Amino acid sequence: MAAAGAGPGAGVEALAASVLDFVSGQQDGRGAEVAAGVKDGRWTVLQLVEALGFCLENTDPRMRGRGIQLLSQVLLQCYSLLQEKEVLHLVLFYESRLQDHHLVIPSVLQGLRALSMCEVLSPGLAVSVLKAIFQEVHVQSLMQLDRHTVYSIITNFMSTREEELKGLGADFTFGFIQVMDGEKDPRNLLVAFQIVRDLIAKDYSLGPFVEELFEVTSCYFPVDFTPPPNDPHGIQREDLILSLRAVLASTPQFAEFLLPLLIEKLDSELQSAKLDSLQTLTACCAIYGQKELQEFLPSLWSSLRREVFQTASEKIEAECLAALHALSACLSRSVLSSDSEDLLDSFLSSILQDCRHHLCEPDMKLVWPSAKLLQAAAGASLRTYHRITRSVLPLLLEQYTKHTQSSQRRTILEMLLGFLELQQKWGHVEEDESTLLSLQDPVCSVVFSALTDPSVQLQLVGIKALTVLGSLQGFLSSSGLELVVDHLIRLALHEEDSQSSEAAMEAAGSLAPTYPEVFSGRMVPRLEEELQSEREESYHNHRSLQQRCLQALAAVSTHTSIVRDTVPVLLQHLQKVQKGTEARNTEDMVSVCQSLHRVALQCQQDVEGCWYFHQTVVPCLLAMAVQAAMQESTHTLPGKALLEEEVLAAMIPVISAATTHLSPELAAQSVSHVVPLFLNGEVSFLPQNSFPCSFQPFGVAIPQQEWLLRELLALSCSCNCPFTATTAAKCFAGLVNKHPAGQQLDEILQLAVNRMEPGLAEGPHRTQALTLLLWVTKALVLRYHPLSSCLTDKLLGLLGDTELGPTAADGFSLLMAESPDVLHKGCHADVRIMFRQRFFTDNVPKLVQGFHGAGPDVKANYLKGLSHVLNHLPKPVLVTELPTLLSLLLEALSCSDRVVQLSTLSCLHPLLLEAPQIMSLHVDTLVTKFLNLTSSPTMAVRIAALRCAHALTSLPTTVLLPYKGRVIRALAKPLDDKKRLVRKEAVAARGEWFLLGSPGR
């Protein structure tokens, strides 16, 4: 190639040499060199054509084919450099070659594909090329790739030369039909289906070829395609189904041909064909009108009704109901001219005629299928809803009164509930034609009677119905609303069954935002009265009632105005309990805190409610805690419950939930009070500010706020109370995680390391030092801080410690898991994306190396740490690393530590489902290990092992068959396990192994 720069003659000679090398079949790589030369201007396309002259005129078709192949290869890379005249001459040349030997045609088509992408293509050339292809090429006799090239040429021209192609009229459609007819390759079909969709969507003329176009596509319906194993193209059956459906449902012009086909497939025995037909029908209803449907409605209704009445498949039933809904909606949309038949009314009459009478049958066999069909049609439009409920609702109310058994009444009320829920779609109950409004009294009577029935199941349906009625604006009268609230109070507080009680509370919470005045004025005072009552009854009953009052106050706090009423009641009760001396006070205070926590969570999305809760509740809780701490120092007994860890732990989520959704301005205002309280004992912002002496949390007054981190650090390392030390470590970690990088952070971290190291080495506070190490490491791992790797190494070193090793191993779970109270996104922690993957990459090799070098007494610690890391790793990442880790995981199953066994089993279970090929290589070991562990003394391990044995059946059948008999015999033993949950898993696993290798599995 060096000679190419010597002059034009030398350049052409180099080109000729490269061409000769290529066409003689000696060096295919010359094609890329020639293309590069044309691209950078060393040669022109004209020079290339001239250099190819000898082989383009050769009598041997193979030689001609190689010449055109080289030219096409160059054009595919250089088509954007061509001039308009060059394109014209090349198109004419390639068109003439379409009549050449069949060996030449593939290369000719590649050249035309390159030219179809040229912007400088002269008008008329696109039509000329397509006419030549339609006339000269029998496309379906070509190889798959060459057929794909033809579809690409058509697609390119349709996207750039639309008006020209439309000038061909229906001839273009006919030409394409001939090209596509008989296509079988799924890759080509996806492109061909898209072309058909474009023909229709872009309004190309179909002329007299509508039926032919339908036939050439509908012959693939329903799609019967299973991708080959390890298919590199990734085309799934669902891709073809959706693509074909988009074609069939793209135009009403196909309706007269498609609807009979759908009815035929619906009546077949093949489940997949039924499903596809139903989904296609639903899609078609979006564009059809009553003109297209009219002739086929009776047959469609007959098929849908039969499938719902007789099918054993929930999926087919659901699709039938969706199709009926779509049909009803389609007819509702159709504009009716004055002289046309009201198809919707006659269609709904057919549905009512065939379904209504089943609602009255004594055996109630077809009640549910009929109700579902009626509801599917009723939900299509307000018009269909009125038409059907006018006929059905009075009948259901009559049947409810007629039947006396609770189970029958429950069925009828559930059907009534279904129709009530449909009314919610249209919101406000309109007075003019609402059947529901005209039946207000009997509907309420039926629902209220269900609420007083002894059957809990009927009560639960009644509560759902009550919630729906309450959500319908304008339906309930003021007296009706008061009655609703009274029923909810009774059920919430006094109904024996907890299901009804909880459901009533949920219903109150759901309705309260719609009627805040009613719930504030009627329900809250009643709950407060019950909470404060001191009537004589058993301790258990009194306590149960108080618990329910607390839960109900929280449940109904779903509107800011109600929160302003309930929060003072809850705080007043908390203060009352705090002053008591009974042993049960701890439990009672935890209950109040749990209710406050629920209120805080419900307030989080409301700015006003969130701030009210925060400024009312947080200072009160802090004041009570300070008061209790000071009473302890003065040896006063009342309020001791608030010093219990259980109560303090219950207060933490209340304050956290009240704080995490504050605006930055309000949060700053809050912090400006809380930190001085902690550091300096500044209590002026606390309510009931009358403390027996000055509050000094650390024994001395600390004037500077920057000392906060140092004091937390001191508490976490040296406090004798583990709860306090752990909480201080969490606070320290939370602040460090969000602290801006720089010298101040580096200094405090160095101070932490200096504190931890001697604490970890020896002394009475080793556990506290380890807890601090874990939380600080997590804080830094989340934000990718450089010191995190140093701290992680310290943790890895502790796995070899006989005293701290097991706790350090469990600490890897803390590092990887979501934290519920600190260091999560909800409390604004700095959490970097993919921190788990990074931790895995940095530390798993160290864990593996440590395991191999560890003594037998601490090996389990490394396995436990590893299994915690793997359990929290995203499964796609784990699958890619599986080959290198699997042998170690299998070794972990032999470990006697039940935590290691459980973690490893929970890690292996999803891998059996997601990486069957890799797991198959170790099937012998897996079978042995899982079966051994089904006899573990730990129930959780037995259950996990049985689940893994079950999951083994997802491996290739040929791999598993040699083990079938052995596994079935081994799984007979856990069938008699004393624990029901173990027996349940054993039955499921053994059943799958029995079916292994059966036909159709």
Side-chain angles (χ1 to χ4, degrees), residues 500-648:
S500 294
S501 173
E502 289 166 13
M505 292 182 201
E506 292 299 324
S510 173
L511 293 175
T514 311
Y515 311 103
E517 298 85 0
V518 180
F519 280 88
S520 270
R522 197 168 185 89
M523 188 167 192
V524 176
R526 287 275 298 279
L527 293 173
E528 182 179 9
E529 182 185 331
E530 290 283 4
L531 193 61
Q532 294 174 348
S533 69
E534 299 290 345
R535 57 184 162 196
E536 291 295 320
E537 54 186 322
S538 72
Y539 164 71
H540 174 75
N541 289 344
H542 178 70
R543 175 154 176 66
S544 174
L545 179 62
Q546 290 219 328
Q547 286 274 5
R548 287 195 176 185
C549 284
L550 293 172
Q551 291 166 358
L553 283 165
V556 79
S557 302
T558 49
H559 188 276
T560 301
S561 65
I562 302 174
V563 170
R564 290 179 180 276
D565 291 330
T566 57
V567 162
V569 175
L570 290 169
L571 291 176
Q572 184 182 359
H573 186 68
L574 186 65
Q575 290 161 342
K576 176 185 171 185
V577 175
Q578 184 199 18
K579 291 171 185 170
T581 56
E582 292 91 343
R584 66 176 184 270
N585 284 5
T586 298
E587 224 175 307
D588 290 343
M589 294 191 83
V590 169
S591 297
V592 182
C593 288
Q594 288 169 343
S595 290
L596 285 169
H597 182 235
R598 178 170 178 176
V599 178
L601 293 174
Q602 289 166 179
C603 287
Q604 283 183 340
Q605 303 308 317
D606 174 59
V607 175
E608 182 190 347
C610 188
W611 180 235
Y612 166 77
F613 185 92
H614 185 279
Q615 66 178 354
T616 306
V617 174
V618 173
C620 182
L621 295 182
L622 292 174
M624 291 172 72
V626 169
Q627 184 95 29
M630 296 172 74
Q631 284 173 347
E632 184 189 35
S633 65
T634 56
H635 308 292
T636 324
L637 280 176
K640 195 172 187 327
L642 201 49
L643 300 175
E644 298 289 340
E645 286 184 15
E646 197 180 345
V647 177
L648 291 170

Side-chain angles (χ1 to χ4, degrees), residues 163-208:
E163 292 308 314
E164 288 182 43
L165 301 193
K166 284 182 176 177
L168 275 171
D171 287 348
F172 176 57
T173 303
F174 180 67
F176 172 72
I177 290 170
Q178 288 181 302
V179 166
M180 183 184 171
D181 194 10
E183 181 59 66
K184 288 185 172 57
D185 189 275
R187 292 163 288 179
N188 291 348
L189 284 173
L190 286 177
V191 184
F193 289 157
Q194 183 62 52
I195 291 172
V196 180
R197 286 166 64 187
D198 288 341
L199 280 172
I200 293 164
K202 295 180 179 178
D203 205 24
Y204 281 77
S205 171
L206 306 186

Side-chain angles (χ1 to χ4, degrees), residues 134-370:
F134 292 160
Q135 186 173 335
E136 303 296 344
V137 183
H138 184 251
V139 175
Q140 290 306 315
S141 65
L142 301 173
M143 300 291 283
Q144 179 272 327
L145 178 62
D146 305 320
R147 302 199 304 276
H148 194 279
T149 303
V150 174
Y151 295 127
S152 298
I153 294 168
I154 296 172
T155 301
N156 291 341
F157 283 147
M158 287 181 75
S159 63
T160 59
R161 299 289 190 274
E162 183 178 325
E163 292 308 314
E164 288 182 43
L165 301 193
K166 284 182 176 177
L168 275 171
D171 287 348
F172 176 57
T173 303
F174 180 67
F176 172 72
I177 290 170
Q178 288 181 302
V179 166
M180 183 184 171
D181 194 10
E183 181 59 66
K184 288 185 172 57
D185 189 275
R187 292 163 288 179
N188 291 348
L189 284 173
L190 286 177
V191 184
F193 289 157
Q194 183 62 52
I195 291 172
V196 180
R197 286 166 64 187
D198 288 341
L199 280 172
I200 293 164
K202 295 180 179 178
D203 205 24
Y204 281 77
S205 171
L206 306 186
F209 304 117
V210 173
E211 186 171 4
E212 284 80 357
L213 188 62
F214 173 77
E215 290 295 337
V216 85
T217 49
S218 65
C219 62
Y220 303 100
F221 183 88
V223 171
D224 180 22
F225 168 69
T226 304
N230 306 315
D231 178 21
H233 309 294
I235 295 174
Q236 300 297 315
R237 179 170 173 268
E238 191 68 14
D239 300 328
L240 288 166
I241 288 174
L242 295 175
S243 189
L244 176 57
R245 184 177 302 152
V247 171
L248 297 178
S250 63
T251 172
Q253 294 181 76
F254 284 167
E256 61 178 304
F257 316 114
L258 177 59
L259 290 173
L261 176 63
L262 295 181
I263 293 167
E264 176 195 331
K265 299 300 179 187
L266 258 177
D267 296 344
S268 73
E269 295 300 315
L270 196 62
Q271 298 292 295
S272 59
K274 288 179 190 284
L275 276 175
D276 208 349
S277 300
L278 290 164
Q279 290 165 348
T280 304
L281 174 60
T282 301
C284 288
C285 288
I287 62 160
Y288 285 3
Q290 71 170 23
K291 178 168 69 76
E292 286 78 25
L293 293 171
Q294 183 165 11
E295 179 186 345
F296 305 101
L297 279 175
S299 297
L300 286 168
W301 164 239
S302 175
S303 297
L304 294 174
R305 180 189 62 206
R306 183 193 67 243
E307 289 302 321
V308 174
F309 280 164
Q310 297 176 9
T311 189
S313 163
E314 288 184 12
K315 196 162 188 184
I316 287 180
E317 180 189 271
E319 293 298 344
C320 280
L321 297 175
L324 179 59
H325 178 94
L327 280 169
S328 304
C330 178
L331 294 173
S332 299
R333 282 194 310 270
S334 295
V335 180
L336 302 174
S337 56
S338 56
D339 58 344
S340 68
E341 179 190 355
D342 187 345
L343 268 188
L344 177 63
D345 193 62
S346 59
F347 183 59
L348 296 177
S349 295
S350 299
I351 297 172
L352 284 164
Q353 182 181 339
D354 290 347
C355 295
R356 191 177 181 275
H357 65 279
H358 289 306
L359 304 181
C360 310
E361 289 172 357
D363 59 3
M364 304 182 84
K365 262 186 188 174
L366 293 175
V367 158
W368 268 119
S370 301

Side-chain angles (χ1 to χ4, degrees), residues 154 225 235 415 564 716 803 894 917:
I154 296 172
F225 168 69
I235 295 174
M415 288 189 285
R564 290 179 180 276
S716 64
E803 180 190 351
S894 301
Q917 299 303 326

